[in-house]
């Protein structure tokens, strides 16, 4: 039996959810205060009576008998969540005694679809992927109540993701096997011919027009601002004090607002098609972010120092449900999960970073003017975890930001930087996530 529960809100000071920064995710203002122990919601005698009546109606609407629901509410002092847990455990026990396999409970906590595993973990279900089980966001306490740990920006990015859509565009020259081979080497895959010269010219003209009007700058209402330190320095100690000189912001590339110009949106959609090909070819549980990022380097030597888009953080704990943890090193490598022996976890759920360059050929080509303009993407191939300088890199690879070129790499693996750019430089970034 699946239980759907609209849980009453515990009072707290917060702002309306609104798009913010890198994750563009409607974040509550007081993220640190989101951990909740859901319990009694009465405010006084009359309110308590009304709450009890509403709770009884809620339980009977779920299919419980009125007498059974009344008993549960009396046992749990009219607490709807506790009563639901009480009834859930009773029905689960009956199913086990009857030889049936217990079904997962399906809940909705603050609008987030969840389930409770056999291990008592509260697991996010992903609406954009047929309610596939995602990361752990809480647990069932010994008394049967649920502890919801809240949603941070990265969880929102994953929750709002969707399966990549291949029908957005027809044929494209893309080799999934070659992408996989490069990724397994810890290297970037360079996709030349990603877009035609005419497509790049149209997209570049649209971005140039916005730039000349001052619309590609911090504070512009035509995109969602990224902060100076990647928008996530509060969650990423490795970024503290890091230099980033570009102006960048986010567009909703799934039909919402703010939206990018049509020629730019077409390029984001092509990256999504590439993600769909990778998912269908290898079974990777890839989900596309709702947002795409644009970055403009002003041509005055702007750069972006060494970083990874999904850095390993020793102070974080894994959110992979216990039932999905790998049992062996070989299984961990195959599923690209961690055994958990070294402690820590990736800071977000980004699996692939996809870049698309929207620059004119005369600006950054392999010629004297292009080399003088700089702006290369420097890739530190196959560096060891924790190396933020590239000292352990097996190879350095400098890539020209040529219009029509896309670059794909694993967000957790590739240490990279943007070298100083002395010509205006445009780059689109699209992230593809996985739940574990």
């Amino acid at each position: 039996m699946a239980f759907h529960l609209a849980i009453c809100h515990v009072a707290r000071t917060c702002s309306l959810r609104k798009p913010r920064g890198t994750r563009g995710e409607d974040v509550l203002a007081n993220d640190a205060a989101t951990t909740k122990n859901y319990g009694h919601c009465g405010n006084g005698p009359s309110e308590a009576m009304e709450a009890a009546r509403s709770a009884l109606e809620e339980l009977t609407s779920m299919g419980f008998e009125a007498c059974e629901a009344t008993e549960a509410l009396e046992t749990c002092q009219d607490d709807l969540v506790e009563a639901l847990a009480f009834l859930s455990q009773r029905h689960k026990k009956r199913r086990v005694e009857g030889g049936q396999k217990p079904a997962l409970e399906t809940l909705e906590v603050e609008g987030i679809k969840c389930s409770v595993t056999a291990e008592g973990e509260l697991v996010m279900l992903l609406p954009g992927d047929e309610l596939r089980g995602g990361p752990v966001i809480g647990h069932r306490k010994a008394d049967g109540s649920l502890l919801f740990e809240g949603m941070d920006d990265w969880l929102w990015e994953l929750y709002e993701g969707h399966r990549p859509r291949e029908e957005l565009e027809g044929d494209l020259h893309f080799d999934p096997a070659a992408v996989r081979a490069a990724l397994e080497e810890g290297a970037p895959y360079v996709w030349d011919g990603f877009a035609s010269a005419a497509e790049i010219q149209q997209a570049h003209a649209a971005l140039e027009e916005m730039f000349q009007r001052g619309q590609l700058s911090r504070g512009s209402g035509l995109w969602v601002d990224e902060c100076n330190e990647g928008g996530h320095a509060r969650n990423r100690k490795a970024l503290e004090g890091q230099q980033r000189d570009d102006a960048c912001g986010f567009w909703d590339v799934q039909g919402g607002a703010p939206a990018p110009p049509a020629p730019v949106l077409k390029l984001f959609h092509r990256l999504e098609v590439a993600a769909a090909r990778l998912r269908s070819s290898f079974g990777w549980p890839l989900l596309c972010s709702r947002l795409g990022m644009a970055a403009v380097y002003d041509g005055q030597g702007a750069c972006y120092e060494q970083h990874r888009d999904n850095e390993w953080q020793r102070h974080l704990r894994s959110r992979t449900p216990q039932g999905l943890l790998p049992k062996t090193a070989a299984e961990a490598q195959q599923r690209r999960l961690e055994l958990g022996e070294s402690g820590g976890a990736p800071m977000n759920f980004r699996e692939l970073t996809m870049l698309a360059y929207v620059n004119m050929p005369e600006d950054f080509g392999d010629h004297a003017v292009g080399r003088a303009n700089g702006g290369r993407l420097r890739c530190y191939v196959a560096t060891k975890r924790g190396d933020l300088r590239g000292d352990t890199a097996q190879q350095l690879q400098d890539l020209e930001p040529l219009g029509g070129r896309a670059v794909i790499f694993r967000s957790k693996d590739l240490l990279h930087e943007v070298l100083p750019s002395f010509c205006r430089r445009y780059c689109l970034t699209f992230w593809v996530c996985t739940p574990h």
Side-chain angles (χ1 to χ4, degrees):
M1 181 177 190
F3 305 108
H4 180 85
L5 177 61
I7 297 182
C8 59
H9 291 269
V10 174
R12 62 176 177 179
T13 302
C14 64
S15 65
L16 293 176
R17 287 172 53 193
K18 56 184 180 180
R20 186 181 81 187
T22 23
R23 283 76 61 188
E25 299 37 63
D26 312 332
V27 183
L28 288 167
N30 56 339
D31 288 338
T34 53
T35 299
K36 294 184 180 178
N37 182 12
Y38 283 96
H40 191 67
C41 295
N43 296 317
S46 59
E47 289 88 347
M49 292 178 62
E50 181 60 32
R53 186 180 301 109
S54 298
L56 179 60
E57 293 176 354
E58 183 76 27
L59 291 174
T60 55
S61 70
M62 295 177 187
F64 294 109
E65 296 293 336
C67 58
E68 186 179 35
T70 300
E71 178 190 356
L73 288 168
E74 290 176 352
T75 301
C76 300
Q77 299 180 335
D78 295 332
D79 187 306
L80 175 58
V81 179
E82 298 289 349
L84 179 59
F86 175 86
L87 292 168
S88 169
Q89 290 296 328
R90 172 181 286 183
H91 280 248
K92 185 183 295 184
K93 182 178 180 181
R94 289 175 182 171
R95 289 194 299 271
V96 172
E97 291 173 350
Q100 301 179 32
K101 183 178 179 180
L104 290 179
E105 303 170 43
T106 302
L107 312 172
E108 188 169 298
V109 182
E110 289 206 4
I112 306 301
K113 296 183 183 299
C114 309
S115 66
V116 181
T117 68
E119 292 81 10
E121 296 169 308
L122 184 66
V123 172
M124 176 196 295
L125 300 179
L126 302 174
D129 197 13
E130 300 177 347
L131 296 182
R132 175 193 292 270
V136 175
I137 56 174
H139 64 273
R140 186 183 296 286
K141 299 174 66 176
D143 61 5
S145 63
L146 294 176
L147 182 68
F148 173 50
E149 297 174 351
M151 297 284 288
D152 63 17
D153 297 357
W154 302 119
L155 287 168
W156 277 115
E157 179 177 52
L158 179 66
Y159 190 74
E160 294 179 341
H162 66 278
R163 294 182 65 162
R165 300 164 293 179
E166 190 163 357
E167 68 273 11
L168 290 172
E169 185 170 330
D171 187 35
L172 71 162
H173 303 290
F174 181 72
D175 185 353
V179 177
R180 182 174 185 172
L183 300 183
E184 292 305 317
E185 295 295 325
Y189 172 74
V190 181
W191 181 7
D192 286 326
F194 158 77
S196 69
E199 289 172 326
I200 293 302
Q201 186 173 16
Q202 292 171 3
H204 182 269
L207 293 175
E208 270 289 297
E209 182 178 0
M210 293 185 71
F211 181 85
Q212 295 299 338
R213 292 179 177 178
Q215 296 171 339
L216 296 184
S217 60
R218 294 188 178 97
S220 169
L222 297 183
W223 65 6
V224 179
D225 273 343
E226 165 76 292
C227 83
N228 291 341
E229 294 181 314
H232 36 66
R234 65 178 180 82
N235 188 4
R236 184 177 182 184
K237 294 181 179 179
L239 272 181
E240 293 174 357
Q242 181 201 63
Q243 181 181 357
R244 178 173 192 173
D245 299 325
D246 59 324
C248 52
F250 291 80
W251 287 307
D252 191 315
V253 297
Q254 307 303 334
V264 174
L265 182 61
K266 182 177 183 179
L267 301 183
F268 278 119
H269 283 174
R270 188 165 297 160
L271 294 175
E272 183 174 341
V273 174
R277 299 284 175 87
L278 292 171
R279 175 167 175 143
S280 62
S281 296
F282 308 120
W284 296 344
L286 302 177
L287 293 174
C288 291
S289 174
R290 178 173 62 87
L291 301 178
M293 188 181 82
V296 54
Y297 291 74
D298 60 11
Q300 305 300 314
C303 65
Y304 191 176
E305 292 183 347
Q306 295 105 319
H307 65 284
R308 294 182 182 86
D309 290 358
N310 189 3
E311 188 61 64
W312 185 265
Q313 301 282 271
R314 294 189 62 84
H315 67 284
L316 298 179
R317 61 175 175 79
S318 172
R319 289 183 177 270
T320 301
Q322 294 182 34
L324 295 181
L325 290 173
K327 305 298 188 298
T328 65
E331 182 185 355
Q333 182 177 11
Q334 180 181 6
R335 295 168 56 201
R336 295 196 59 77
L337 295 175
E338 303 295 331
L339 282 171
E341 299 172 351
S342 59
M347 73 175 188
N348 59 51
F349 302 95
R350 291 173 176 173
E351 178 69 15
L352 299 178
T353 298
M354 296 184 170
L355 308 178
Y357 294 113
V358 191
N359 302 304
M360 301 309 294
E362 61 269 18
D363 292 335
F364 294 102
D366 187 18
H367 45 69
V369 173
R371 288 190 292 271
N373 284 339
R376 271 45 178 172
L377 176 71
R378 173 160 292 178
C379 302
Y380 298 83
V381 177
T383 54
K384 293 182 178 180
R385 177 185 296 169
D387 178 4
L388 297 177
R389 298 174 49 188
D391 296 335
T392 62
Q394 297 183 12
Q395 178 187 359
L396 288 183
Q397 191 172 354
D398 286 352
L399 301 176
E400 300 95 340
L402 301 175
R405 165 176 287 177
V407 180
I408 302 173
F409 55 85
R410 289 201 187 275
S411 307
K412 290 187 289 188
D413 291 351
L414 188 68
L415 184 71
H416 58 285
E417 68 175 313
V418 177
L419 300 179
S421 181
F422 298 97
C423 181
R424 193 147 54 246
R425 176 189 189 272
Y426 294 106
C427 178
L428 308 178
T429 305
F430 190 57
W431 284 285
V432 184
C433 301
T434 53
H436 306 295

